[in-house]
């Protein structure tokens, strides 16, 4: 069963909005002949097992329990999923296997597992199902998944907002649900927010017959990972529509670490979602990532800037990153720059830009050069170099 024509197409459909996700999967099963859906329900993990179901458009085909692995529901999913997909492939008769993820499972890790298996499986699409009316409530919800009963492991420390943001930004298809799962129907502002947050994805209504075919065109795991990497991420573009704005802030000067640290709370709360990359004057060789949702900010090192690498190391860097660096190249700083995006209804554009600009080095501070910058207060040591 090694020929390309005998490979089983596999598509992933995920998302925190369960009604939207189930509707999307149901529509795919109805419109794509030979399709079957697998779902691992992690809500029963506290009882020591993960419940697996397999169904097609006519109903349930089978069910079983997958034992926990290392007390981790997601590990159980990974251990059980591929064997089930291989069983379906070996049995023949199926054109498409839809992997319906449980609420808080993120598609990126599952996509990597399926793609790594290779033949006879072929990952052909990844979608997140979304109810637009629930966008703002989810993106502004800073509660831990555990508090909502959605944790995928005992030590799962993710929040609803950051999990939902990653579910939105990874796939190439957004399945848009109009079933009224929220207390109110979605409006133009909700759809504008969705469009601005997912610039590289195709948006298809869950009621459209085109949803299934959209998940059969193919999916490049390496390219998807590159779109998420802070150095070359596909970030939203400048926009202002239906009361929803995206501000793209790009500057060449480094941040003053002390002034930026003092402004973190205001900047984090300025928008429902903000992302990007930046550099600090006292850490000129470190590319830093900015990831904020639900009133919480994650700042992490994403490795060195390209300009800080020896020329011989450039060939070992993915092509997408080399291209991104060349587009941003500055004769003095190389690819070092500030590139942050803020997306939200009711965004205070002028106030945000003023605050961001105030955190940059002044003319006098900038003139001191890298030797002087390294003497500035190291305000981010606790965030970036925590003591174990």
């Amino acid at each position: 069963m090694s020929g390309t024509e005998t490979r089983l197409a596999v598509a992933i459909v995920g998302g925190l909005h369960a009604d939207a996700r189930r509707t999307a999967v149901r529509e795919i099963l109805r419109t794509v002949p030979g399709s079957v859906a697998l779902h691992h329900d992690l809500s029963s993990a506290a009882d020591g097992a993960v419940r697996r179901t397999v169904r097609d458009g006519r109903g349930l085909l089978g069910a079983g329990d997958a034992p926990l692995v290392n007390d981790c529901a997601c590990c159980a999913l990974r251990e059980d999923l591929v064997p089930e997909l291989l069983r379906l492939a070996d049995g023949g008769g199926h054109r498409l296997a839809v992997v319906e993820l449980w609420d808080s499972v993120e598609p990126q890790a599952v996509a990597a597992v399926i793609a790594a298996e290779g033949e006879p499986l072929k990952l052909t699409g990844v979608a997140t199902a979304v109810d637009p009316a629930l966008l703002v409530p989810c993106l502004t919800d800073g509660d831990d998944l555990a508090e909502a009963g959605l944790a995928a492991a005992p030590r799962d420390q993710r929040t609803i907002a950051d999990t939902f943001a990653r579910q939105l930004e990874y796939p190439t298809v957004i399945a848009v649900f109009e079933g009224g799962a929220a207390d109110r129907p979605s409006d133009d502002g909700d759809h504008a927010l969705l469009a601005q947050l997912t610039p590289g994805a195709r948006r298809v209504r869950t009621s459209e017959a085109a949803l299934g075919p959209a998940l059969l065109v193919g999916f490049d795991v390496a390219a998807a990972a590159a779109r998420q990497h802070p150095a070359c991420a596909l970030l939203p573009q400048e926009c202002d529509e239906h009361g929803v704005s995206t501000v793209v802030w790009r500057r060449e000067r480094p941040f003053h670490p002390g002034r930026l640290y003092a402004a973190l709370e205001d900047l984090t709360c300025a928008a429902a979602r903000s992302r990007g990359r930046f550099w600090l004057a006292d850490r000129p060789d470190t590319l830093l990532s900015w990831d904020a949702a639900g009133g919480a900010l994650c700042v992490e090192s994403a490795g060195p800037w390209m300009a800080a690498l020896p020329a011989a190391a450039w060939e070992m860097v993915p092509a997408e990153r080399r291209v991104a660096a060349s587009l941003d190249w500055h004769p003095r700083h190389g690819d070092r720059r500030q590139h942050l995006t803020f997306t939200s209804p009711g965004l205070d554009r002028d106030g945000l830009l003023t605050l961001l600009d105030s955190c940059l080095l002044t003319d006098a501070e900038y003139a001191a050069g890298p030797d002087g910058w390294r003497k500035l207060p190291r305000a981010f040591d606790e965030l970036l170099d925590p003591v174990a």
Side-chain angles (χ1 to χ4, degrees):
M1 196 168 179
S2 59
T4 302
E5 70 279 0
T6 60
R7 297 175 76 179
L8 175 64
V10 181
I12 296 171
V13 178
L16 277 170
H17 301 163
D19 287 343
R21 189 185 68 238
R22 292 171 189 140
T23 300
V25 174
R26 189 164 55 245
E27 183 64 18
I28 295 168
L29 294 179
R30 187 183 70 82
T31 58
V32 178
S35 59
V36 62
L38 291 82
H39 177 60
H40 288 77
D41 187 344
L42 306 190
S43 62
S44 60
D47 298 325
V50 173
R51 188 67 174 169
R52 178 213 322 122
T53 56
V54 182
R55 68 188 191 279
D56 63 10
R58 292 168 294 184
L60 188 67
L61 297 177
D65 292 328
L68 289 189
V69 178
N70 300 323
D71 198 30
C72 172
C74 277
C75 299
L77 185 160
R78 289 192 294 268
E79 291 291 326
D80 190 69
L81 176 61
V82 169
E84 280 297 307
L85 290 172
L86 293 174
R87 182 183 63 80
L88 290 170
D90 290 341
H94 298 296
R95 177 189 179 191
L96 171 67
V98 181
V99 177
E100 181 193 343
L101 301 180
W102 189 67
D103 302 41
S104 69
V105 176
E106 297 178 29
Q108 184 167 3
V110 179
V113 169
I114 296 170
E117 183 64 24
E119 294 187 359
L121 308 178
K122 181 181 181 182
L123 182 64
T124 60
V126 178
T128 292
V130 178
D131 181 343
L134 295 176
L135 272 173
V136 172
C138 284
L139 283 173
T140 55
D141 192 337
D143 288 346
D144 292 338
L145 290 172
E147 296 175 7
L150 297 173
R155 292 180 293 277
D156 193 340
Q157 297 181 338
R158 296 174 298 156
T159 68
I160 290 174
D162 66 47
T163 301
F164 182 59
R166 284 189 293 271
Q167 289 179 338
L168 274 181
E169 292 156 0
Y170 180 76
T172 53
V173 175
I174 299 294
V176 183
F177 178 61
E178 295 293 359
D183 293 335
R184 63 170 181 82
S186 60
D187 57 24
D188 289 341
D190 297 321
H191 288 271
L193 178 59
L194 180 60
Q196 291 177 38
L197 289 172
T198 59
R202 178 182 176 185
R203 289 174 291 282
V204 184
R205 291 193 299 273
T206 54
S207 59
E208 288 186 67
L211 179 58
L215 292 173
L216 287 167
V217 298
F219 187 82
D220 188 328
V221 172
R227 290 195 301 271
Q228 296 299 102
H229 193 283
C232 47
L234 179 62
L235 298 174
Q237 301 296 307
E238 192 86 20
C239 191
D240 189 356
E241 186 178 25
H242 299 298
V244 178
S245 302
T246 292
V247 169
V248 179
W249 184 76
R250 296 167 64 93
R251 299 290 188 270
E252 295 168 353
R253 287 192 184 187
F255 276 122
H256 184 287
R259 287 198 294 274
L260 177 62
Y261 189 84
L264 287 182
E265 183 175 354
D266 289 339
L267 291 172
T268 300
C269 297
R273 178 69 171 140
S274 55
R275 298 173 62 199
R277 55 187 177 269
F278 68 101
W279 67 303
L280 293 171
D282 61 326
R283 296 171 181 259
D285 292 339
T286 304
L287 189 161
L288 296 168
S289 68
W290 178 288
D291 192 304
L297 170 67
C298 178
V299 171
E300 293 181 326
S301 167
W305 292 97
M306 290 289 289
L309 293 173
W314 277 51
E315 291 302 317
M316 295 183 287
V317 174
E320 294 90 348
R321 184 167 178 192
R322 295 199 301 270
V323 170
S326 66
L327 293 174
D328 278 344
W329 202 260
H330 182 275
R332 180 176 178 184
H333 306 311
D335 58 327
R336 301 177 182 92
R337 70 163 50 233
Q338 321 292 4
H339 186 176
L340 300 177
T341 65
F342 297 78
T343 301
S344 188
L347 195 65
D348 179 6
R349 177 187 178 87
D350 292 341
L352 176 59
L353 294 177
T354 298
L355 180 57
L356 285 165
D357 286 338
S358 74
C359 297
L360 296 172
L361 294 185
T362 64
D363 290 346
E365 291 164 344
Y366 182 71
D371 289 340
W373 304 344
R374 288 187 173 88
K375 299 175 184 177
L376 292 170
R378 297 182 63 84
F380 279 76
D381 282 3
E382 186 175 345
L383 283 179
L384 297 171
D385 306 314
V387 177

